[in-house]
Amino acid sequence: MTETFDGPEAALALKANPHDFLIDTKASFAGLNYGTLPGSSTEGLLFQMKALRQPAPEKLATHDLFMVTRDPAYGLDVQVLLDKPQFPGVLPIRLAVGEGGPDTGVRFLRWQENKLTGTVLDANATLVFTGPLQGCDIYVATVPGGLGTGPAQTILMHVNANDAPTEAENGPIKTEKANAFAAAMGGSAITHHLARADYAPASGDAYNGFVYGKKRDDGSWGFFVYTLILGASATTHRLGPLPPV
């Protein structure tokens, strides 16, 4: 369906309806393009990480939780690189950093090795990405409104903890981090959890995955995982919602 698009048209189609665009599209998440912005070699230019107060700092597994915030002087927009495939027949999706201009509503949650990064989706956010995924877990949580009267907020968490020899050992560590982050955010409730086994191909083939969230008309969020599977005989893809808890 994307062969008749040019780059800007494809990006508009992706932003307007990511599900319909991706369901028929072989795509990969190519990360960020900082372009020629001042200080572009420093990711902190746009995505700042702040250590979160730890509920139990004596526990090493929970002593690495970081809130990611963005500098509103810089914004993001979606690019679909029709002429620069990472793999044959695959469209790379990239987020481009821009200086000034209107807020596009696009957000990105960066990840950090052996840490949990989380972000609160602000009122102006309409589309969020996190990735690429090659072993991390993703969690979604709901933060209660102020004193129970304000609107609830949605948190997206990206957990990297893959040092243990097996996923059976890594999985509980990731969940411990997510629960600690939720506790530090005032007891927010985890609503969705994407584990490695939910998106990594059982065949052992190489893959490139990402998660995106799209705000619905009623203000709630829907979250989906996209996996590009680089099989020996063919490249395939699959798209589905994040598993609820």
Side-chain angles (χ1 to χ4, degrees), residues 89-104:
V90 172
L91 296 180
I93 295 169
R94 185 171 69 180
L95 303 182
V97 179
E99 187 172 9
D103 183 358
T104 66

Side-chain angles (χ1 to χ4, degrees), residues 42-120:
T42 304
E43 288 190 349
L45 173 72
L46 182 65
F47 307 104
Q48 300 157 356
M49 289 176 56
K50 179 180 179 181
L52 201 66
R53 179 183 61 81
Q54 311 299 323
E58 70 279 3
K59 291 186 178 182
L60 181 62
T62 62
H63 193 54
D64 49 12
L65 314 179
F66 289 83
M67 176 68 75
V68 176
T69 59
R70 71 183 193 92
D71 186 338
Y74 302 92
L76 287 175
D77 209 350
V78 176
Q79 293 180 327
V80 178
L81 309 178
L82 299 180
D83 58 341
K84 297 179 181 179
Q86 284 185 305
F87 314 102
V90 172
L91 296 180
I93 295 169
R94 185 171 69 180
L95 303 182
V97 179
E99 187 172 9
D103 183 358
T104 66
V106 177
R107 304 289 184 260
F108 174 69
L109 174 60
R110 60 179 289 195
W111 64 277
Q112 192 77 3
E113 186 174 359
N114 292 321
K115 292 180 172 37
L116 179 151
T117 56
T119 190
V120 178

Side-chain angles (χ1 to χ4, degrees), residues 3 11-12 18 22 25 40 98 109 137 139 141 162-163 202 206 219:
E3 292 180 358
L12 288 173
L22 291 168
T25 305
S40 61
L109 174 60
D137 283 22
Y139 297 80
N162 299 309
D163 282 349

Side-chain angles (χ1 to χ4, degrees), residues 8-233:
E9 288 176 341
L12 288 173
L14 173 59
K15 288 191 293 183
N17 194 324
H19 183 274
D20 284 0
F21 182 89
L22 291 168
I23 196 70
D24 295 323
T25 305
K26 294 178 183 177
S28 61
F29 188 73
L32 297 172
N33 173 26
Y34 283 92
T36 58
L37 288 178
S40 61
S41 62
T42 304
E43 288 190 349
L45 173 72
L46 182 65
F47 307 104
Q48 300 157 356
M49 289 176 56
K50 179 180 179 181
L52 201 66
R53 179 183 61 81
Q54 311 299 323
E58 70 279 3
K59 291 186 178 182
L60 181 62
T62 62
H63 193 54
D64 49 12
L65 314 179
F66 289 83
M67 176 68 75
V68 176
T69 59
R70 71 183 193 92
D71 186 338
Y74 302 92
L76 287 175
D77 209 350
V78 176
Q79 293 180 327
V80 178
L81 309 178
L82 299 180
D83 58 341
K84 297 179 181 179
Q86 284 185 305
F87 314 102
V90 172
L91 296 180
I93 295 169
R94 185 171 69 180
L95 303 182
V97 179
E99 187 172 9
D103 183 358
T104 66
V106 177
R107 304 289 184 260
F108 174 69
L109 174 60
R110 60 179 289 195
W111 64 277
Q112 192 77 3
E113 186 174 359
N114 292 321
K115 292 180 172 37
L116 179 151
T117 56
T119 190
V120 178
L121 296 174
D122 60 276
N124 294 328
T126 57
L127 182 63
V128 62
F129 292 87
T130 190
L133 293 181
Q134 292 180 327
C136 296
D137 283 22
I138 304 297
Y139 297 80
V140 177
T142 299
V143 182
L147 301 178
T149 60
Q153 292 180 292
T154 298
I155 291 178
L156 183 62
M157 294 176 272
H158 190 141
V159 192
N160 180 288
N162 299 309
D163 282 349
T166 68
E167 188 58 26
E169 297 169 277
N170 288 318
I173 295 172
K174 295 172 183 176
T175 296
E176 184 180 10
K177 294 179 192 296
N179 286 333
F181 192 94
M185 293 298 294
S188 55
I190 294 177
T191 59
H192 296 78
H193 173 206
L194 178 75
R196 183 177 192 169
D198 295 322
Y199 64 89
S203 62
D205 288 331
Y207 62 95
N208 177 294
F210 64 92
V211 163
Y212 77 87
K214 176 70 172 175
K215 184 185 284 186
R216 304 184 182 101
D217 291 340
D218 64 1
S220 65
W221 282 84
F223 291 91
F224 297 82
V225 56
Y226 179 100
T227 308
L228 178 74
I229 302 168
L230 303 169
S233 59

